[in-house]
Amino acid sequence: MISQICIITAIIAYLSIMIYVGISYSKNNTSIDAFYLGGRKLGPVVTAMSAEASDMSSWLLMGLPGVAYLSGIAEAGWTAIGLAVGTYVNWLIVSKKIRRYTSQLHALTLPDFFSKRYGDDQNILTCVSAVIIIIFFIPYTASGFAACAKLFNTLFGVNYMAALFISAAIIVLYCTLGGFLAVSTTDLIQGITMSIALIIVICFGIFTAGGFEHVIANAQALPGYLSMMRSYVPGTDYDTPYSALTIASTLAWGLGYFGMPHILLRFMAIEDEKKLSLSRRIATVWVVISMAVAVFIGIVGYSMSKASVIPVLEGSSSETIIVQIASVLSKYNILTALLAGIILAGILAATMSTADSQLLAAASSISQNLLQDFGKKKIDTKTSVKIARITVMIISLISVLLASNPDSSVFEIVSFAWAGFGAAFGPIVLCALFWKRSNKWGALCGMITGGAMIFIWKYGIAGLGGVFAIYELLPAFLLATLVNIIVSLMTAEPSQEILAVYDKVNRK
């Protein structure tokens, strides 16, 4: 009883800080620019940590350790490598240029940038990209809500749906109050909380599993468990090869970074593009260390199950491994119970840091891009901010309904949404920034092709098995890029005005 009180106290303290940040920043939202981009005033540390905290989501503390726990390091390891490389390259080649380009064009959102970059006066690109954002962000947000609900349901036995609504309500509250600055500041706090949680879990896990030597020995006893070229089949004495094609498919997770609206918005919002170099270093180091620790937690968790410290986890329940570890930690004394509360707050942080960013990006797509840009509705600032807040609430409600199944896998949902954004927006972002000849029609066809191919490959072609059973992001990204290039070359060159802006941006 005392342990639960301590855990609840720590979590309430954490959630109170989140709400306080939202309230404190609410008075700053006097313009749409402030609500969506914080007036482009983010510092380098906040930019780095908010980008990566919003990127990692509950996938870092639930999905990745769960995969490693079940099948070893191959899938989790190659995924982490792909994401680490993608993180670095995205910061290196995209961040400065998109900050400079969007500032030159006075673009507040990614769909807004697409239309202004290509001189799309009819805002067709705005409309299509906004719809894509809504399609993929809703299930992505739902996965975050589901992670929160699983946490409270597993730990306290709280009704899953009740926990779902409470988690969503808190995220919506500080997101609608504080806008982008509140979201970015809370993401910084959440990134720090996630880091502390990872450190506590890994140290406690190794200790209770019998030490580092026992952890490695137990893992080595399973065929393929510690191999990057083979994958352990859960519950058996067998392993399967991890082929070169599968490795390439898994590494393709890194391609998703080029099309993530909530990450690209951080690049757009930094106060000075020169500070992005510092942000890149901070972000890359944090991502590499945090993912390596998360994968190892899965390995440690297996030894903890073998030592009967935590129960044997199967299927999607493996994603609750850190929750299980926190539950054991909380039973020692008041201090460890408070530490367990910090761990659980870290899981909440991982979830909230992504959900709030996604909600804000989705809200901007509806209120700014669809209603005002595409619909040509003239709305004053106060009304526009109000519409954005209402939109956040509506999207949250839909996400809650989608997350109502407690057996849904966080990892699977996130991987599908990640692929959707990567394939639909990644090629167009790269072409818009680095290819002068790219035009509106190439961008439009490429975007539609990328988004559509995610569904076609995932639910159709992948079912053929063999070489086709790869991560849908890879073929969809490549095809979307090819379509963008071919259609651009087959249609008229961009206007001289568009080319002049491109040259001006690239001369800086």
Side-chain angles (χ1 to χ4, degrees), residues 340-354:
I342 294 174
I343 293 172
L344 299 173
I347 296 178
L348 286 176
T351 301
M352 291 180 172
S353 59
T354 301

Side-chain angles (χ1 to χ4, degrees), residues 73-191:
I73 66 173
E75 182 176 1
W78 286 115
T79 299
I81 291 171
L83 289 172
V85 173
T87 296
Y88 180 78
V89 174
N90 200 31
W91 280 96
L92 182 65
I93 69 173
V94 172
S95 62
K96 286 186 179 180
K97 187 160 278 193
I98 200 168
R99 168 64 174 84
R100 190 182 305 162
Y101 223 141
T102 54
S103 179
Q104 177 70 36
L105 296 173
H106 304 289
L108 298 179
T109 65
L110 197 60
D112 192 25
F113 166 63
F114 292 153
S115 279
K116 290 180 177 178
R117 159 65 176 86
Y118 291 109
D120 180 19
D121 297 331
Q122 296 176 309
N123 287 308
I124 298 174
L125 285 173
T126 297
C127 178
V128 174
S129 55
V131 170
I132 289 173
I133 285 175
I134 294 167
I135 289 173
F136 288 108
F137 259 154
I138 287 178
Y140 208 151
T141 304
S143 72
F145 290 168
C148 284
K150 281 184 180 182
L151 187 155
F152 289 112
N153 176 257
T154 302
L155 193 65
F156 303 119
V158 177
N159 178 268
Y160 179 83
M161 287 304 297
L164 198 60
F165 277 103
I166 292 171
S167 303
I170 293 170
I171 296 172
V172 169
L173 182 60
Y174 74 76
C175 184
T176 54
L177 283 174
F180 187 82
L181 281 177
V183 166
S184 298
T185 303
T186 53
D187 285 350
L188 170 62
I189 298 170
Q190 289 157 347

Side-chain angles (χ1 to χ4, degrees), residues 24 32 54 67-68 93 106 108 128 147 220 243 249 299 309 312 347 363 379-380 412 433 453 456 466 472-473 483 491:
S24 63
I32 287 299
S54 63
V67 170
I93 69 173
H106 304 289
L108 298 179
V128 174
Q220 288 176 333
S243 67
S249 167
I299 308 301
V309 177
V312 175
I347 296 178
I379 303 173
D380 61 74
E412 289 298 322
L433 297 178
M453 275 304 297
I456 294 171
E472 57 271 16
L473 172 55
V483 168
T491 50

Side-chain angles (χ1 to χ4, degrees), residues 209-221:
F212 183 79
E213 294 79 8
H214 277 82
V215 171
I216 299 301
N218 289 330
Q220 288 176 333

Side-chain angles (χ1 to χ4, degrees), residues 195-219:
S195 301
I196 295 172
L198 286 169
I199 293 170
I200 296 172
V201 168
I202 197 69
C203 292
F204 177 73
I206 292 174
F207 173 75
T208 56
F212 183 79
E213 294 79 8
H214 277 82
V215 171
I216 299 301
N218 289 330

Side-chain angles (χ1 to χ4, degrees), residues 64 67 91 145 180 214 268 275 292 314 326 330 337 373 382 421:
L64 195 60
V67 170
W91 280 96
F145 290 168
F180 187 82
H214 277 82
M268 295 161 60
K275 295 181 179 180
E314 299 177 350
S330 69
D373 297 338
K382 186 176 180 180
F421 286 122

Side-chain angles (χ1 to χ4, degrees), residues 36 109 111 130 133-134 137 175 261-262 265-266 355-367 369 392 395 421:
Y36 289 139
T109 65
I133 285 175
I134 294 167
F137 259 154
C175 184
H262 54 299
L265 281 175
R266 267 58 182 184
D356 54 20
S357 300
Q358 293 163 346
L359 285 173
L360 200 61
S364 67
S365 297
I366 295 176
S367 63
N369 302 134
V392 167
I395 292 173
F421 286 122

